């Protein structure tokens, strides 16, 4: 219908090829030895910055600007790409869960009622990331949920905890587990049989994404559902401490373990009649487990035993697949995204990344919705990621392949928008390997070059930006900004994202003279980018979108 029709921009022409390039984990910070971007050779990104000041600026990518609860919340790819694609700021999962817990509404919804039906005879299992990172989950929410579930009649509770070290410092898992154990002990004093049942590192157990490696989910399934794991412990804090001592062990890649009783029997496999809640609010790394828990027909790995359970997600993770069908908190309704508008106005769209970031420029970009709006006008290309390695081993990742495919898409003349995520700064930054992250940044810059060269050739326009910071700061700092040392005098490596702003640059031969960044939006953020590229496609953005970053002055 015509509700989708976009108004023509009064000054900007249609028909230019627009490349929207998102560098993942590429923030702006003062040059220093822990700023991998400033240390790396990045001539293309440097020249964009040093180029015309009216074509380069910084935008906000964290906190309220992307719908997170507080200004202390670092940005992340989910909320970043949601904002980039949707052109508006939506209260995100972290905040919605906070509100539902504070008001108690979470216990009145259909999802909780559904899991509650099992409280009389079955066990309530909580599965998710044990961390205060606020990216996928938050420990304080888990604490409230545990308390609330007990108050609402849960008599037997088992927690299946995934350790983090990626959104928080490596090693912090021990403290989080101690906190959890403390809470569970309090519940036990009140007569609730509450315990940790299993655990493992998030990158090795359960939290794969975009179907990069189903073995990760299988390892989790074996521990959580079947009660089988290579390591057995009686005490979860001891489990983490011991397993962290194995060679090369860290929180992200901790081996899976189950907690056993005095007879060596696992204390919490998932059985018929049990309830399960996956407590991550973020979708990408829970969807695969949700499929394994919910789908009757499932062939990704042998589940061996499929318990009849009442399962709910903290949120619904995929709006198109309606997965999971039951959830405790309604997800943000990210509707009328720029991707959908542009396609409905005939803009032929190409999107590309490698597996580990593929859903970022498709699923997240389109408001947590998988699939095409119009197959005839869209092509989404996934370059297979390396699997089974940590990305510091191959810091170039698939940047070159992504850039080549994108170049070819541009040169083919078949597309009006090409949209791409270059993952290196983020994925290698998360490993905490500074040397490798420096190489990663160079590879990302090389990728940008190839795409900009193609844009040059076809007379197109580019928009280069990022979703949040990561590689620009690799060290934990105190309030004054000084690097923090651990007790051995070594710097504390920062594997997580940051609260830094990100750059945005526009240019290319298709940009008509007189286009420049406005000066009246100093606090502009990622949500302002959609209006910006809609303009560059020759359209006005919908009136409720955040304002465009550009203006056209007569030249
Ligand atoms: C991850 O899931 O890898 C991290 O928690 C967040 O990284 P991303 O937001 O860049 O995907
Ligand atoms: Co990241």
């Amino acid at each position: 219908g015509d509700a989708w029709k976009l108004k023509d921009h009064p000054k900007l022409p249609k028909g230019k090829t627009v490349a929207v390039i998102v560098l993942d984990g590429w923030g702006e910070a003062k040059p220093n030895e822990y700023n991998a971007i400033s240390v790396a050779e990045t001539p293309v990104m440097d020249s964009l910055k040093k180029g015309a000041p009216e074509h380069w600026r910084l935008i906000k990518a964290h906190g309220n600007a992307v719908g997170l609860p507080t200004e202390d919340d670092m940005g992340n790819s989910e909320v970043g790409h949601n904002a980039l694609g949707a052109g508006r700021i939506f209260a995100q999962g972290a905040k919605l869960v906070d509100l539902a817990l504070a008001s108690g509404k979470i216990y009145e919804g259909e999802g909780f009622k559904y899991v509650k039906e099992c409280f009389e005879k079955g066990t309530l299992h909580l599965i998710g990331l044990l961390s205060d990172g606020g990216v996928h989950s938050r420990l304080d929410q888990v604490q409230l949920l545990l308390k609330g579930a007990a108050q609402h009649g849960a008599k037997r509770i088992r927690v299946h905890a995934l350790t983090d070290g990626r959104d928080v410092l490596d090693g912090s898992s021990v403290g989080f587990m101690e906190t959890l154990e403390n809470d569970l002990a309090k519940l036990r004093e009140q007569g609730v049989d509450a315990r940790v049942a299993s655990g493992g590192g998030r990158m090795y157990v359960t939290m794969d994404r975009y179907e990069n490696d189903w073995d990760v989910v299988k390892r989790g399934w074996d521990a959580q559902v079947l009660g089988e794991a290579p390591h057995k412990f009686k005490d979860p804090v001891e489990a983490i401490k011991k397993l962290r001592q194995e060679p090369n062990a860290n929180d992200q890649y901790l081996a899976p373990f189950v907690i056993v009783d005095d007879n060596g029997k696992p204390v919490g496999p998932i059985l018929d009649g049990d309830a399960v809640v996956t407590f991550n609010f973020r979708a990408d790394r829970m969807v695969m487990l949700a499929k394994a828990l919910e789908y009757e027909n499932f062939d990704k790995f042998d589940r061996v035993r499929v318990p009849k359970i009442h399962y709910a997600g903290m949120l619904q993770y995929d709006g198109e697949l309606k997965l999971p069908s039951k959830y405790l908190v309604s997800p943000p309704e990210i509707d009328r995204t720029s991707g959908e508008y542009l396609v409905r106005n005939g803009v032929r769209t190409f999107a590309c990344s490698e597996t580990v970031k593929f859903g970022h420029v498709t699923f997240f970009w389109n408001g947590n919705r998988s699939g095409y709006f119009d197959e005839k006008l869209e092509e989404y290309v996934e370059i297979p990621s390396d699997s089974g390695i940590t990305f510091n081993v191959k810091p170039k990742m698939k940047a070159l392949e992504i850039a080549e495919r994108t170049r070819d898409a541009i040169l083919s003349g078949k597309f009006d928008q090409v949209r791409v995520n270059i993952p290196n700064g983020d994925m290698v930054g998360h490993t905490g390997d500074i040397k490798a992250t420096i190489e990663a940044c160079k590879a990302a810059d090389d990728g940008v070059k190839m795409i900009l060269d193609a844009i040059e050739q076809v007379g197109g326009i580019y928009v280069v930006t990022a979703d949040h910071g990561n590689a620009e700061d690799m060290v934990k700092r105190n309030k004054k900004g000084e690097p923090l040392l651990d007790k051995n005098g070594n710097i504390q490596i920062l594997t997580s994202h940051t609260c830094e702003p990100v750059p945005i640059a526009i240019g290319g031969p298709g940009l008509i003279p007189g286009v420049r960044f406005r000066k009246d939006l100093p606090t502009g953020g990622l949500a302002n980018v959609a209006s910006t590229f809609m303009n560059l496609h020759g359209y006005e953005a919908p009136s409720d979108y955040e304002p465009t970053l550009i203006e056209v002055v007569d030249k």
Side-chain angles (χ1 to χ4, degrees):
D2 267 337
W4 289 107
K5 183 98 193 76
L6 293 170
K7 283 199 201 117
D8 293 341
H9 192 279
K11 294 183 177 161
L12 292 167
K14 297 198 171 46
K16 306 278 182 194
T17 308
V18 179
V20 182
I21 303 171
V22 181
L23 296 176
D24 213 296
W26 192 285
E28 176 75 11
K30 280 199 210 107
N32 69 83
E33 63 185 305
Y34 305 117
N35 179 337
I37 297 172
S38 76
V39 177
E41 212 184 295
T42 55
V44 179
M45 291 303 288
D46 293 350
S47 75
L48 295 181
K49 182 175 172 183
K50 281 191 223 111
E54 70 269 25
H55 290 162
W56 186 95
R57 62 164 290 175
L58 295 174
I59 50 177
K60 288 186 67 185
H62 79 287
N64 304 141
V66 286
L68 292 171
T70 75
E71 284 300 277
D72 294 330
D73 288 305
M74 62 198 174
N76 69 71
S77 292
E78 176 184 49
V79 300
H81 286 77
N82 282 168
L84 285 165
R88 286 150 296 158
I89 302 166
F90 291 87
Q92 285 287 354
K95 197 162 166 181
L96 298 173
V97 173
D98 283 345
L99 294 172
L101 283 164
S103 65
K105 288 229 169 76
I106 196 167
Y107 305 112
E108 289 158 25
E110 233 192 277
F112 189 79
K113 285 189 182 143
Y114 179 64
V115 294
K116 198 177 156 186
E117 286 167 16
C118 302
F119 287 1
E120 201 53 47
K121 292 188 186 133
T123 302
L124 168 64
H125 299 265
L126 301 181
I127 308 175
L129 184 65
L130 194 71
S131 151
D132 66 4
V135 174
H136 293 269
S137 65
R138 278 213 335 265
L139 177 57
D140 60 325
Q141 293 177 348
V142 180
Q143 293 180 284
L144 288 174
L145 186 61
L146 276 168
K147 234 180 159 179
Q151 276 163 4
H152 285 83
K155 298 190 178 72
R156 198 163 181 273
I157 301 176
R158 293 293 180 264
V159 182
H160 304 265
L162 303 162
T163 54
D164 191 350
R166 186 172 177 89
D167 300 324
V168 291
L169 290 187
D170 183 48
S172 58
S173 61
V174 179
F176 295 137
M177 188 58 96
E178 284 168 350
T179 303
L180 174 66
E181 275 288 88
N182 223 352
D183 281 39
L184 296 175
K186 278 189 212 139
L187 289 178
R188 289 196 292 271
E189 280 165 24
Q190 297 160 22
V192 182
D193 171 12
R195 303 188 62 171
V196 172
S198 77
R202 57 174 286 176
M203 297 301 284
Y204 191 60
V205 179
T206 299
M207 282 175 59
D208 186 43
R209 69 175 159 209
Y210 307 141
E211 313 210 353
N212 191 43
D213 184 0
W214 275 101
D215 281 348
V216 175
V217 185
K218 180 184 184 327
R219 273 179 217 115
W221 183 273
D222 291 350
Q224 296 142 5
V225 178
L226 306 179
E228 289 166 10
H231 302 276
K232 298 184 175 55
F233 290 90
K234 285 189 187 157
D235 174 69
V237 174
E238 143 124 10
I240 294 180
K241 285 185 177 162
K242 273 266 160 56
L243 291 174
R244 278 183 55 81
Q245 284 166 17
E246 308 239 312
N248 297 320
N250 57 33
D251 287 352
Q252 294 190 54
Y253 287 88
L254 210 68
F257 62 87
V258 291
I259 301 300
V260 294
D261 63 16
D262 291 337
N263 304 316
K265 222 179 122 218
V267 301
I270 300 176
L271 304 172
D272 285 354
D274 286 354
V276 176
V277 170
T278 48
F279 60 74
N280 287 15
F281 43 73
R282 175 162 152 174
D284 56 345
R285 295 190 184 275
M286 270 298 137
V287 160
M288 293 167 73
L289 174 57
K291 286 181 180 168
L293 288 167
E294 188 147 310
Y295 284 173
E296 248 173 70
N297 297 319
F298 178 88
D299 58 5
K300 303 303 182 183
F301 60 85
D302 181 4
R303 291 180 290 185
V304 181
R305 181 171 61 74
V306 185
K308 292 193 185 58
I309 54 170
H310 282 198
Y311 165 50
M314 185 65 105
L315 263 69
Q316 184 165 64
Y317 300 129
D318 188 319
E320 189 68 10
L321 303 178
K322 304 266 178 273
L323 186 80
S325 57
K326 298 283 197 294
Y327 44 93
L328 304 189
V329 177
S330 295
E333 272 176 56
I334 307 178
D335 57 351
R336 299 186 302 109
T337 58
S338 64
E340 184 158 16
Y341 267 112
L342 290 172
V343 167
R344 304 232 182 274
N345 283 271
V347 171
R348 300 162 304 164
T349 303
F350 172 91
C352 178
S353 190
E354 62 172 276
T355 309
V356 293
K357 292 286 180 185
F358 176 65
H360 288 34
V361 277
T362 55
F363 174 78
F364 285 151
W365 195 273
N366 294 332
N368 299 351
R369 181 188 185 285
S370 46
Y372 290 115
F373 297 109
D374 183 341
E375 251 170 273
K376 285 194 235 68
L377 294 178
E378 291 170 279
E379 186 179 347
Y380 297 168
V381 172
E382 175 185 344
I383 311 282
S385 286
D386 293 315
S387 64
I389 60 157
T390 56
F391 287 103
N392 56 332
V393 181
K394 287 190 177 171
K396 292 196 174 111
M397 300 183 66
K398 301 293 179 207
L400 180 65
E401 291 81 350
I402 294 167
E404 282 171 348
R405 285 299 288 267
T406 306
R407 173 201 62 198
D408 294 347
I410 292 168
L411 299 181
S412 76
K414 285 196 212 145
F415 299 101
D416 305 300
Q417 178 173 108
V418 299
R419 180 167 80 224
V420 50
N421 177 299
I422 304 186
N424 309 59
D426 184 69
M427 293 301 288
V428 187
H430 279 302
T431 68
D433 181 334
I434 298 179
K435 189 164 162 280
T437 307
I438 293 166
E439 282 178 58
C441 293
K442 178 178 188 309
D445 194 74
D446 290 342
V448 175
K449 179 172 191 331
M450 185 176 283
I451 298 169
L452 297 197
D453 286 349
I455 283 294
E456 187 71 32
Q457 252 182 285
V458 301
I461 299 172
Y462 59 77
V463 178
V464 183
T465 189
D467 60 342
H468 54 72
N470 184 338
E472 81 289 352
D473 200 4
M474 300 293 292
V475 68
K476 177 90 178 161
R477 296 172 187 277
N478 63 17
K479 288 240 163 64
K480 286 192 214 147
E482 299 154 346
L484 282 174
L485 304 180
D486 65 16
K487 31 182 199 298
N488 305 320
N490 299 316
I491 60 149
Q492 290 194 41
I493 293 286
L494 188 75
T495 53
S496 73
H497 300 167
T498 71
C499 291
E500 299 294 349
V502 297
I504 178 167
I506 54 171
L511 197 66
I512 62 166
V515 177
R516 64 179 191 195
F517 283 130
R518 297 159 57 165
K519 296 242 162 62
D520 58 345
L521 285 174
T523 58
L526 294 180
N528 299 86
V529 176
S531 294
T532 308
F533 60 69
M534 285 167 120
N535 292 169
L536 297 172
H537 280 292
Y539 296 103
E540 293 268 34
S543 57
D544 62 340
Y545 270 41
E546 292 294 321
T548 179
L549 296 168
I550 54 172
E551 61 187 1
V552 189
V553 293
D554 293 324
K555 275 234 161 136

